[in-house]
Amino acid sequence: MAAVAAFLILLLATPAAYAVEYTVGDSSGWTNGEDYSTWVQGKTFTVGDTLLFTYGGTHSVDEVSKSDYDNCNTGNSIKSYNDGNTKITLSNSGPMYFICPTLGHCGQGMKLAINVVASSDNSPTTPSPPSGSTTPSGTPPTGSSGSPSPPSGGNGAASIANNGLMLGFSLVLGAILAIIS
């Protein structure tokens, strides 16, 4: 019985790691007129997390190299998706680049650059903006005023779900301990 109690205490003391699903663009999804460089700020993308791209029929998602991202080149995609509800699991650490290959969309800002960190490193990082990139017309440049950006909304649903799982897990373990005692 002491071994079971020690095991349960060890389980409680061990931090749990949960993968997070990020909906690209939050409620707006993958569409024209969004600033994905702002959306990515403050988020930590970890190996095992997923990106969910939701989009209409005029859009799709191409995973591309940094050079193709910088130049909005749609001819050399690493992977292409067009199902309107694309879920991509982040399986390797390092930078990843995504664009909409529809003519003109990438040039208007419909592109996303992220940096995926190994699951043991939780420091927020994002790739540096491409050199020579311009802000889409009609959109004020970000970060040029010298004042800090407002905090990102993050993924509150994932945090609530993780807290609920931990609470449920703790309640079950408490009940087991009470029964054993």
Side-chain angles (χ1 to χ4, degrees):
M1 181 161 66
V4 172
F7 177 71
L8 293 175
I9 291 171
L10 179 63
L11 282 176
L12 286 173
T14 305
Y18 296 100
V20 176
E21 181 175 275
Y22 293 96
T23 300
V24 175
D26 296 322
S27 61
S28 298
W30 182 240
T31 188
N32 293 85
E34 291 298 311
D35 184 356
Y36 296 103
S37 63
T38 299
W39 176 82
V40 79
Q41 290 178 357
K43 291 177 175 60
T44 301
F45 301 98
T46 306
V47 171
D49 289 350
T50 56
L51 295 178
L52 176 62
F53 290 84
T54 56
Y55 49 94
T58 61
H59 303 297
S60 55
V61 179
D62 279 2
E63 182 181 346
V64 295
S65 68
K66 179 173 181 358
S67 175
D68 289 341
Y69 172 88
D70 290 343
N71 297 302
C72 289
N73 182 4
T74 62
N76 299 314
S77 63
I78 297 167
K79 293 180 185 171
S80 294
Y81 308 91
N82 61 7
D83 63 359
N85 198 37
T86 301
K87 186 183 276 191
I88 299 172
T89 301
L90 307 178
S91 55
N92 297 310
S93 60
M96 293 183 78
Y97 304 93
F98 303 93
I99 63 173
C100 178
T102 302
L103 185 62
H105 289 192
C106 176
Q108 295 170 357
M110 200 169 168
K111 58 189 197 173
L112 173 69
I114 65 168
N115 190 49
V116 181
V117 296
S119 58
S120 62
D121 179 8
N122 290 325
S123 58
T125 57
T126 55
S128 49
S131 59
S133 69
T134 58
T135 306
S137 62
T139 305
T142 57
S144 61
S145 66
S147 61
S149 300
S152 169
N155 193 337
S159 297
I160 291 168
N162 289 344
N163 289 340
L165 286 173
M166 288 304 294
L167 176 62
F169 183 68
S170 298
L171 290 173
V172 169
L173 286 178
I176 292 170
L177 283 173
I179 292 170
I180 298 173
S181 298

